[in-house]
Amino acid sequence: MGEFINTFIKAAFIENLLLAYFLGMCSFLAVSKSVKTAIGLGFAVIFVLGITMPINWLINEYLLSEAGVFGMDLTFLRFILFIAVIASMVQLVEMVVEKFSPSLYAALGIFLPLITVNCAILGGSLFMVSREYTLGNAVAFGLGGGVGWFLAIVALAAIREKIRYSNVPAPLRGLGMAFLLTGLMGLAFMSLMGIDPAIFLD
Amino acid sequence: MKGLLNFFHKIEPDKEKSPFLHTVFDGFFTFLFVPNHVTAKGVHVRDRMDLKRLMIFVVLAMMGCYVFGAYNIGHHHFAALGEYTQLGEGIGPKLWYGLLKILPILIVTMAVGLGIEFYYASRKGHGIEEGFIVSGMLIPLIMPPDLPLWMLGLAVVFAVILGKEAFGGTGMNILNVALLTRVFVFFAYPTYISGDEVWISGVAGVDGVTGATPLALAAKGGWEAVTQVYSASDMWWGFIPGSIGETSKPLIILGALFLIFTRVASWRIMISMVLGAAFVGMLMNGFAPEITADTAGVFKFMAVPWYYQFYMGSFLFAMAFMATDPVTASGTNKGKWIYGFLIGSIGMVIRIINPAYPEGWMLAILLLNVFAPTIDHFVVEGNMKRRAKRAEAIA
């Protein structure tokens, strides 16, 4: 249990997918104009990451590896299968959001289907493979990474709502400011980097 | 006073011909006199307690730290060289030595920062916003005495342009400008602002002199290791190496009381920050394992009694002058409690269990600066929901 908590905390705060690895920037910059839509997208990312990680883990372990059912090394299919899983999960989220919150669906627009190509999600799955996580760790990493992404996009959205009233120089308005803010937020997030929760678990 | 006023009217430059000079003039003029401009349109707060007077109060509150900082630099310098080792000896030379250290830092900070500020003010065609006066006075207090001045200048340029002017100037910045300056130096030139060698001025290369701060000692060996070198009363009165203005606890508390009394700083943030730090400190004490000879340093640090944590490092300075910055802190009252508590607890976590950084308050405050708008957003949202419910109940 402690190991999973460790992975979760690390993924959410210490090695934040967004502010430490700068993954998933496109939707982060584009959908952070209001807190409400940011929260919606954040939850969608938590859900997709949390679901695709274990599925991809099972695929990687039981279909693609040499020890799997086909008995041969199919790891060259990894990317295409991972993306297929992610795309189908995103479709699921899209249908649910459209059914239950049409206003959020309209606000997210094209960025909801674009979660498919959100690099944070594929990146998460690939980190999982390269770090050789167990199934439990993969779930913890997916949920933690999603929570970290959620926190970052909500914070950026709140800041952008606040600076809407500031006299920002004209060339910096909009995306320029978002880039600048991302950098400054990354600086602030460095505060937690270097903490190793593992030493307190034994 | 009248003569001074006439003098100012005589030298007033032409606004059309030289906007830059006029901006500079206006800045200094309104420093000394309350301007008699009348607002023409819109709603304005009409109060003599304007931004300028507000900032002067903050500057006054940190004067004690400046004087003590100068003495402390000199004291450690001479004590390390084996002269005037007693506290009361050689006060004159010590103060003079400290002054010669602080003054260049202050001058460079002010010249660079105010230069940028004047430039932007004249470019945008509005009066000088004195926001930098306070940041510029705070910056020297959080620097080590021997920091190369060009690094300082570079950091100030970074903080003022990217941290403040890009957002639209005073009152609009998201991150605390003074801390942004320090964090720039901290990540760009870490060897000049952390470690054991930088805190005592002018003794580089002198054998047998270590200037480890209490925190550095505590991180290795816990409270016993600290008390072997510094007594608790030295730490309380501030005769320890550290950043220029952070050491003297009584003077900082005096400044904090002054700020609370004049209502410049928020007591909510200060109190909740103390509560947050104490809470995490007690938690750490509770979880600290039995100390034996080969316990890792971090567990010894965890076992340091929580009330002694306030004696070390820059907690009080960060609480009094940094976290309470009204621009970057939460704006709502409920938000201030949450903001302060989270700074206190996260800062303590960074200080004790993050081996990468010796002290946590700079980064904890920056982290919460980032989240302050989020906290405000949810507090306001909660208020709106409650009021809507109340309105429904009445209707």
Coordinates of all heavy atoms in Angstrom, one line a residue, chain B residues 155-190:
Chain B
A155 N 19.2 39.2 -11.7 CA 18.0 38.6 -11.1 C 16.9 39.7 -10.9 O 15.7 39.4 -11.2 CB 18.4 38.1 -9.7
V156 N 17.3 40.9 -10.6 CA 16.3 42.0 -10.5 C 15.7 42.2 -11.8 O 14.5 42.4 -12.0 CB 16.9 43.2 -9.9 CG1 16.0 44.4 -9.9 CG2 17.4 43.0 -8.5
V157 N 16.5 42.2 -12.9 CA 15.9 42.5 -14.2 C 14.9 41.4 -14.6 O 13.8 41.7 -15.0 CB 17.1 42.4 -15.3 CG1 16.5 42.4 -16.7 CG2 18.0 43.7 -15.1
F158 N 15.3 40.1 -14.3 CA 14.4 39.0 -14.5 C 13.1 39.2 -13.8 O 12.0 39.1 -14.4 CB 15.0 37.7 -14.1 CG 14.1 36.5 -14.1 CD1 13.8 35.8 -15.2 CD2 13.6 36.1 -12.9 CE1 13.0 34.8 -15.2 CE2 12.7 35.0 -12.8 CZ 12.4 34.3 -14.0
A159 N 13.2 39.5 -12.5 CA 12.0 39.5 -11.7 C 11.1 40.7 -12.0 O 9.9 40.5 -12.1 CB 12.4 39.6 -10.2
V160 N 11.7 41.8 -12.3 CA 10.9 43.0 -12.5 C 10.2 42.9 -13.9 O 9.0 43.2 -14.0 CB 11.7 44.3 -12.4 CG1 10.9 45.5 -12.8 CG2 12.1 44.5 -10.9
I161 N 11.0 42.5 -14.9 CA 10.4 42.5 -16.2 C 9.4 41.3 -16.4 O 8.2 41.5 -16.7 CB 11.5 42.4 -17.3 CG1 12.2 43.8 -17.3 CG2 10.8 42.3 -18.7 CD1 13.2 43.9 -18.4
L162 N 9.9 40.1 -16.1 CA 9.0 38.9 -16.4 C 8.0 38.7 -15.3 O 6.9 38.2 -15.5 CB 9.9 37.7 -16.6 CG 10.6 37.6 -17.9 CD1 11.4 36.3 -18.0 CD2 9.7 37.8 -19.1
G163 N 8.4 39.1 -14.1 CA 7.5 38.8 -12.9 C 6.5 39.9 -12.7 O 5.4 39.7 -12.1
K164 N 6.8 41.2 -13.2 CA 5.9 42.2 -12.9 C 5.4 43.1 -14.1 O 4.2 43.2 -14.3 CB 6.5 43.2 -11.8 CG 5.5 44.1 -11.2 CD 6.1 44.7 -9.9 CE 6.7 46.0 -10.3 NZ 7.3 46.6 -9.1
E165 N 6.4 43.6 -14.8 CA 5.9 44.5 -15.9 C 5.2 43.7 -17.0 O 4.2 44.3 -17.6 CB 7.1 45.2 -16.5 CG 7.8 46.2 -15.6 CD 6.9 47.3 -15.1 OE1 5.9 47.6 -15.8 OE2 7.2 47.9 -14.1
A166 N 5.5 42.4 -17.2 CA 4.8 41.6 -18.2 C 3.3 41.5 -17.8 O 2.4 41.4 -18.6 CB 5.4 40.3 -18.4
F167 N 3.0 41.5 -16.5 CA 1.7 41.4 -16.0 C 0.9 42.7 -16.0 O -0.2 42.7 -15.6 CB 1.7 40.8 -14.6 CG 2.1 39.3 -14.6 CD1 3.4 39.0 -14.6 CD2 1.1 38.3 -14.6 CE1 3.7 37.6 -14.6 CE2 1.4 37.0 -14.6 CZ 2.8 36.7 -14.6
G168 N 1.6 43.8 -16.2 CA 0.9 45.1 -16.2 C 1.4 46.0 -15.1 O 0.7 47.0 -14.8
G169 N 2.4 45.6 -14.4 CA 3.0 46.6 -13.4 C 2.5 46.3 -12.0 O 1.9 45.2 -11.7
T170 N 2.7 47.3 -11.1 CA 2.4 47.1 -9.7 C 1.0 46.7 -9.4 O 0.1 47.2 -10.0 CB 2.7 48.4 -8.9 OG1 4.1 48.8 -9.1 CG2 2.4 48.3 -7.5
G171 N 0.8 45.7 -8.5 CA -0.5 45.3 -8.1 C -1.1 44.3 -9.0 O -2.1 43.7 -8.8
M172 N -0.4 43.9 -10.1 CA -0.9 42.9 -11.0 C -0.1 41.6 -11.0 O -0.5 40.6 -11.6 CB -0.8 43.4 -12.5 CG -1.5 44.8 -12.6 SD -3.3 44.6 -12.3 CE -3.8 46.3 -12.6
N173 N 1.1 41.6 -10.4 CA 1.9 40.5 -10.4 C 1.3 39.3 -9.7 O 0.6 39.5 -8.7 CB 3.3 40.8 -9.9 CG 3.3 41.5 -8.6 OD1 2.6 42.5 -8.4 ND2 4.1 41.0 -7.6
I174 N 1.7 38.1 -10.1 CA 1.1 36.9 -9.5 C 2.1 36.4 -8.5 O 1.7 35.9 -7.4 CB 0.9 35.8 -10.6 CG1 -0.1 36.3 -11.6 CG2 0.5 34.5 -10.0 CD1 -1.5 36.5 -11.1
L175 N 3.4 36.5 -8.8 CA 4.4 36.0 -7.9 C 5.1 37.1 -7.2 O 5.3 38.2 -7.8 CB 5.5 35.1 -8.6 CG 5.0 33.9 -9.3 CD1 6.1 33.2 -10.0 CD2 4.3 32.9 -8.3
N176 N 5.5 36.9 -5.9 CA 6.2 37.9 -5.2 C 7.5 38.3 -5.8 O 8.4 37.5 -6.1 CB 6.5 37.4 -3.8 CG 7.0 38.4 -2.8 OD1 7.8 39.2 -3.2 ND2 6.5 38.3 -1.6
V177 N 7.7 39.6 -6.1 CA 8.9 40.0 -6.9 C 10.2 39.8 -6.2 O 11.2 39.3 -6.8 CB 8.8 41.5 -7.3 CG1 10.0 42.0 -8.1 CG2 7.5 41.7 -8.2
A178 N 10.2 40.1 -4.9 CA 11.4 39.9 -4.1 C 11.8 38.4 -4.1 O 13.0 38.1 -4.3 CB 11.3 40.4 -2.7
L179 N 10.8 37.5 -3.9 CA 11.2 36.1 -3.9 C 11.5 35.6 -5.2 O 12.4 34.7 -5.4 CB 10.0 35.3 -3.3 CG 9.8 35.5 -1.8 CD1 8.6 34.8 -1.4 CD2 11.0 35.0 -1.1
L180 N 11.0 36.2 -6.3 CA 11.3 35.8 -7.6 C 12.8 36.1 -7.9 O 13.5 35.3 -8.5 CB 10.4 36.5 -8.6 CG 10.2 35.8 -9.9 CD1 9.7 34.3 -9.7 CD2 9.1 36.5 -10.8
T181 N 13.2 37.3 -7.4 CA 14.6 37.6 -7.5 C 15.5 36.6 -6.9 O 16.5 36.1 -7.4 CB 14.9 39.0 -6.9 OG1 13.9 39.9 -7.3 CG2 16.3 39.5 -7.2
R182 N 15.1 36.2 -5.6 CA 16.0 35.3 -4.9 C 15.9 33.9 -5.6 O 17.0 33.2 -5.6 CB 15.5 35.2 -3.5 CG 16.5 34.4 -2.6 CD 16.1 34.5 -1.1 NE 17.2 34.2 -0.3 CZ 17.6 33.0 0.1 NH1 17.0 32.0 -0.5 NH2 18.6 32.8 0.9
V183 N 14.8 33.5 -6.0 CA 14.7 32.2 -6.6 C 15.5 32.1 -7.9 O 16.0 31.1 -8.2 CB 13.2 31.8 -6.8 CG1 12.7 32.1 -8.2 CG2 13.0 30.3 -6.5
F184 N 15.6 33.2 -8.6 CA 16.4 33.3 -9.8 C 17.8 33.0 -9.5 O 18.5 32.1 -10.1 CB 16.2 34.6 -10.5 CG 17.1 34.7 -11.8 CD1 16.5 34.4 -13.0 CD2 18.3 35.3 -11.7 CE1 17.3 34.5 -14.1 CE2 19.1 35.4 -12.9 CZ 18.6 35.0 -14.1
V185 N 18.4 33.7 -8.5 CA 19.7 33.5 -8.1 C 19.9 32.1 -7.5 O 20.9 31.4 -7.8 CB 20.2 34.5 -7.0 CG1 21.6 34.3 -6.5 CG2 19.9 35.9 -7.4
F186 N 18.9 31.6 -6.8 CA 19.0 30.3 -6.2 C 19.1 29.2 -7.2 O 19.9 28.2 -7.0 CB 17.8 30.1 -5.3 CG 17.8 28.9 -4.5 CD1 18.5 28.9 -3.2 CD2 17.3 27.7 -4.9 CE1 18.6 27.8 -2.5 CE2 17.3 26.5 -4.1 CZ 18.0 26.6 -2.9
F187 N 18.4 29.3 -8.3 CA 18.4 28.2 -9.3 C 19.5 28.4 -10.3 O 20.0 27.5 -10.9 CB 17.1 28.0 -10.0 CG 16.1 27.3 -9.1 CD1 14.9 27.8 -8.9 CD2 16.4 26.1 -8.5 CE1 14.0 27.2 -8.0 CE2 15.5 25.4 -7.7 CZ 14.3 26.0 -7.5
A188 N 19.9 29.7 -10.6 CA 20.9 30.0 -11.6 C 22.3 29.9 -11.0 O 23.2 29.4 -11.7 CB 20.6 31.3 -12.2
Y189 N 22.5 30.4 -9.8 CA 23.9 30.4 -9.2 C 23.8 29.8 -7.8 O 24.1 30.5 -6.8 CB 24.4 31.8 -9.2 CG 24.3 32.5 -10.5 CD1 23.3 33.5 -10.6 CD2 25.1 32.2 -11.6 CE1 23.2 34.2 -11.8 CE2 24.9 32.9 -12.8 CZ 24.0 33.8 -12.9 OH 23.8 34.5 -14.1
P190 N 23.4 28.5 -7.7 CA 23.2 28.0 -6.4 C 24.3 28.1 -5.4 O 24.2 28.2 -4.2 CB 22.8 26.5 -6.6 CG 23.2 26.2 -8.0 CD 23.2 27.5 -8.8

